[in-house]
């Protein structure tokens, strides 16, 4: 697995220096390598593991390095991160292999003069029983324990209960569940489940949503046959909150890759009209391809800018406004998000508000709109909705999914992993009264 370790170190270097989405970088690397499946899986686990635990790993390394992390060569720092991660978080890897292969990678990268330093840091960590020395300050401790930046820890503690904050932080370093939406257009639930028996499907609180235990489900014949699409339970609840009916006209203004549009179509039994938009042509193709795989005919995927009014778009009975956001609720799926500067998110609320203002222009009197994000930042969520309802008197909040109990029962809800093991998510429903 030495090549897998080397590839992980190189991937981390690209991710931390150039940015980009981890899944895209990993998929590209694995598709171009000659590694076997076992090594590919190990490379992916090590790569994502270090991404998830970087702050924790750097805290450990700081305690054993005679040099500041900022002074270390990036390659050496990533070798140490992968080495410490194997020692602390991968029980199936022998300590000797983690240390020796880390030293070997330094040599392969022509950094042999620093191989002794790598060896010393890793072996000293071993001698201390692989213990993490946590800070006494609560914010700093949570930051190290759950490998989250202090600004995120503070944001959560200042706006939510400690239980909610910890549930999100803890989930961010755990393996996220795989949930799917069964395609009721392909048959009865029992019939589909029979064909998915190898996936160990487990029911959830909502009909048609199942957790499954499997590898890459998108490579299975059942997926190719359109029996389901992969979608977190929070996104499915968002569609249920909109509650589309057969024969209605529905707009999904920020749709790609199309998961919510697919669920809306299934809830409508493919009877009605759904216009699904994205600003990029290549992402519109994702919606079209997904709808075709699932056998959905009522979706019309089009290119469109959600923040700019288009007189060609018809008035709608229901609108889904799932706006671009900071993504702080899906860090367990995209760990690189937490290493962004918080300042990068400051312009988002105005963009979100502009999209919402434009969206309501398409809503019929009596029509309903769901505003949603996959973040838990109140500035992008409740404050956008509160501002809108204050400025637009012909709209009111509408309660939704009350039958599911807490946290539902209001017109705006923030979901945390502690509720339904969902991603962090915000859903609000409003209605045009005139």
């Amino acid at each position: 697995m030495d090549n897998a370790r080397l590839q992980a170190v190189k991937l981390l270097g690209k991710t931390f220096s150039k940015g980009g989405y981890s899944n895209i970088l990993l998929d590209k690397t694995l598709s171009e390598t000659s590694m076997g499946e076992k090594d590919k899986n190990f490379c992916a686990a090590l790569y994502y593991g270090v991404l998830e635990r970087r702050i924790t790993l750097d805290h450990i390394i700081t305690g054993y390095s005679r040099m500041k992390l900022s002074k270390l060569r990036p390659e050496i720092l990533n070798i140490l991160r992968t080495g410490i991660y194997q020692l602390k978080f991968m029980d199936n890897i022998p300590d000797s292999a983690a240390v020796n292969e880390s030293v070997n990678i330094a040599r392969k990268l022509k950094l042999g003069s620093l191989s002794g330093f790598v060896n010393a840091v890793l072996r000293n960590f071993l001698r201390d029983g692989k213990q993490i020395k946590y800070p006494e300050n609560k914010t700093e401790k949570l930051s190290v324990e759950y490998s989250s930046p202090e600004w995120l820890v503070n944001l959560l503690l200042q706006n939510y209960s400690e239980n909610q904050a910890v549930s999100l932080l803890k989930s961010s370093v755990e393996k996220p569940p795989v949930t799917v939406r069964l395609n009721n257009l392909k048959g009865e639930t029992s019939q589909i489940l029979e064909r998915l028996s190898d996936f160990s499907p487990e029911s959830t609180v909502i009909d048609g949503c199942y957790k499954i235990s499997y590898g890459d489900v998108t490579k299975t014949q059942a997926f190719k046959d359109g029996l389901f699409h992969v979608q977190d339970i929070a996104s499915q609840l968002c569609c249920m909150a909109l509650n589309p009916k057969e024969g209605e006209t529905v707009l999904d203004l920020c749709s790609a890759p199309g998961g919510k549009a697919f669920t809306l179509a299934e809830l409508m039994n493919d009877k009605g009209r759904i216009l699904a938009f994205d600003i990029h042509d290549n992402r519109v193709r994702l919606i079209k391809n997904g709808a075709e795989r699932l056998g959905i005919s009522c979706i019309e995927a089009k290119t469109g800018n959600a923040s700019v009014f288009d007189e060609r778009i018809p008035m709608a009975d229901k609108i889904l406004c799932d706006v671009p956001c900071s993504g702080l609720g899906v860090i367990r799926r995209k760990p690189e998000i937490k290493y962004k500067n918080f300042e990068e998110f400051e312009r988002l609320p105005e963009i979100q508000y502009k999209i919402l203002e434009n969206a309501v222009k398409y809503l019929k009197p009596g029509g309903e709109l769901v505003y949603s994000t996959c973040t838990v930042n109140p500035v992008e969520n409740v404050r956008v909705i509160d501002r809108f309802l204050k400025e637009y008197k012909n709209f009111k909040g509408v309660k939704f999914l009350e039958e599911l109990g807490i946290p539902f029962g209001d017109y705006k809800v923030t979901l945390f992993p502690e509720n339904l093991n969902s991603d962090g998510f915000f859903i609000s429903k409003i209605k045009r009264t005139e």
Side-chain angles (χ1 to χ4, degrees):
M1 293 183 181
D2 55 334
N3 191 38
R5 291 181 173 91
L6 178 60
Q7 289 293 347
V9 168
K10 290 180 177 179
L11 270 169
L12 290 165
K14 292 178 183 177
T15 303
F16 293 138
S17 64
K18 299 179 182 178
Y21 292 108
S22 57
N23 61 323
I24 295 175
L25 285 170
L26 180 64
D27 289 346
K28 184 175 186 298
T29 296
L30 295 185
S31 67
E32 296 173 350
T33 183
S34 59
M35 289 190 297
E37 200 63 29
K38 184 177 180 181
D39 281 357
K40 286 181 179 181
N41 291 337
F42 178 70
C43 176
L46 187 55
Y47 171 61
Y48 275 123
V50 172
L51 281 182
E52 291 170 351
R53 295 281 188 175
R54 190 181 98 177
I55 292 173
T56 307
L57 299 171
D58 286 358
H59 174 78
I60 294 170
I61 295 168
T62 298
Y64 292 95
S65 173
R66 63 179 181 273
M67 290 187 287
K68 291 183 178 180
L69 268 58
S70 59
K71 300 293 184 183
L72 290 175
R73 291 199 50 156
E75 301 94 329
I76 292 297
L77 182 53
N78 285 326
I79 290 171
L80 288 173
R81 286 166 172 161
T82 57
I84 294 289
Y85 183 80
Q86 291 170 75
L87 292 173
K88 182 65 180 176
F89 299 106
M90 300 184 86
D91 296 335
N92 59 328
I93 302 299
D95 292 344
S96 58
V99 175
N100 295 337
E101 293 303 334
S102 296
V103 171
N104 288 338
I105 291 173
R107 292 171 179 155
K108 287 181 180 179
L109 293 176
K110 302 188 185 325
L111 298 170
S113 61
L114 294 170
S115 60
F117 169 68
V118 170
N119 185 67
V121 170
L122 298 182
R123 292 200 178 279
N124 285 336
F125 179 56
L126 272 174
R127 290 190 191 98
D128 285 347
K130 298 190 283 190
Q131 296 300 308
I132 301 176
K133 300 173 184 177
Y134 291 106
E136 293 184 5
N137 176 273
K138 178 189 286 188
T139 298
E140 294 175 1
K141 180 180 183 298
L142 289 173
S143 173
V144 171
E145 185 174 5
Y146 297 114
S147 194
S148 293
E150 291 184 23
W151 65 258
L152 176 56
V153 175
N154 281 322
L155 183 150
L156 292 170
L157 290 176
Q158 289 168 8
N159 291 283
Y160 302 102
S161 71
E162 188 167 331
N163 283 342
Q164 289 173 313
V166 170
S167 80
L168 189 71
L169 294 171
K170 185 179 179 182
S171 77
S172 73
V173 291
E174 295 177 338
K175 184 178 180 180
V178 177
T179 47
V180 300
R181 180 78 190 176
L182 302 189
N183 185 1
N184 58 287
L185 306 177
K186 293 285 186 176
E188 298 293 332
T189 297
S190 59
Q191 297 172 323
I192 297 176
L193 288 176
E194 187 175 341
R195 294 181 62 183
L196 301 183
S197 57
D198 291 344
F199 296 9
S200 303
E202 180 183 341
S203 62
T204 66
V205 296
I206 59 177
D207 291 339
C209 177
Y210 284 80
K211 288 190 288 186
I212 60 176
S213 301
Y214 201 80
D216 186 354
V217 295
T218 63
K219 294 180 179 178
T220 64
Q221 190 59 47
F223 178 83
K224 294 174 183 176
D225 290 342
L227 299 186
F228 63 86
H229 65 274
V230 179
Q231 187 177 41
D232 186 70
I233 189 172
S235 293
Q236 296 188 42
L237 288 165
C238 174
C239 297
M240 292 178 65
L242 188 60
N243 194 26
K245 303 294 185 182
E246 291 184 9
E248 289 185 330
T249 297
V250 179
L251 305 184
D252 182 0
L253 295 178
C254 305
S255 184
K260 295 184 183 67
F262 305 152
T263 298
L264 293 172
E266 290 161 2
L267 291 172
M268 296 166 67
N269 294 313
D270 202 24
K271 296 176 182 178
R273 188 184 186 193
I274 298 176
L275 282 75
F277 298 92
D278 192 87
I279 198 169
H280 300 293
D281 289 336
N282 61 323
R283 289 175 63 78
V284 171
R285 282 195 293 274
L286 293 177
I287 304 170
K288 291 180 178 178
N289 292 341
E292 183 178 354
R293 179 181 62 81
L294 294 163
I296 295 171
S297 61
C298 73
I299 293 177
E300 302 170 36
K302 300 174 180 290
T303 303
N305 187 335
S307 64
V308 178
F309 183 73
D310 186 343
E311 61 183 10
R312 294 170 298 178
I313 296 176
M315 297 295 284
D317 301 288
K318 304 280 174 65
I319 296 177
L320 178 59
C321 199
D322 187 57
V323 296
C325 68
S326 57
L328 299 181
V330 293
I331 287 175
R332 64 184 182 180
R333 302 183 191 277
K334 299 177 181 178
E336 64 272 17
I337 289 173
K338 60 186 173 184
Y339 304 120
K340 293 185 176 183
N341 293 323
F342 186 65
E343 289 74 21
E344 294 182 40
F345 305 139
E346 290 181 349
R347 64 187 182 89
L348 285 171
E350 281 304 317
I351 294 173
Q352 293 158 343
Y353 193 77
K354 186 176 181 181
I355 291 174
L356 179 57
E357 277 194 308
N358 186 56
V360 297
K361 295 175 183 176
Y362 304 118
L363 195 61
K364 295 177 182 178
E368 296 176 332
L369 178 147
V370 163
Y371 172 93
S372 63
T373 72
C374 57
T375 189
V376 291
N377 184 4
V379 175
E380 302 174 60
N381 295 340
V382 292
R383 294 186 193 175
V384 170
I385 288 297
D386 288 349
R387 174 186 170 188
F388 178 83
L389 291 177
K390 183 178 180 180
E391 295 181 9
Y392 287 78
K393 302 301 183 183
N394 58 329
F395 284 83
K396 68 175 183 178
V398 179
K399 296 179 181 180
F400 57 93
L401 300 180
E402 296 173 86
E403 67 275 12
L404 294 180
I406 297 173
F408 298 99
D410 198 357
Y411 68 91
K412 48 188 177 182
V413 170
T414 302
L415 293 172
F416 283 85
E418 68 168 7
N419 301 127
L420 301 166
N421 197 19
S422 70
D423 292 338
F425 215 84
F426 176 78
I427 307 170
S428 181
K429 186 172 185 178
I430 58 177
K431 181 176 183 175
R432 182 174 178 179
T433 56
E434 59 182 45

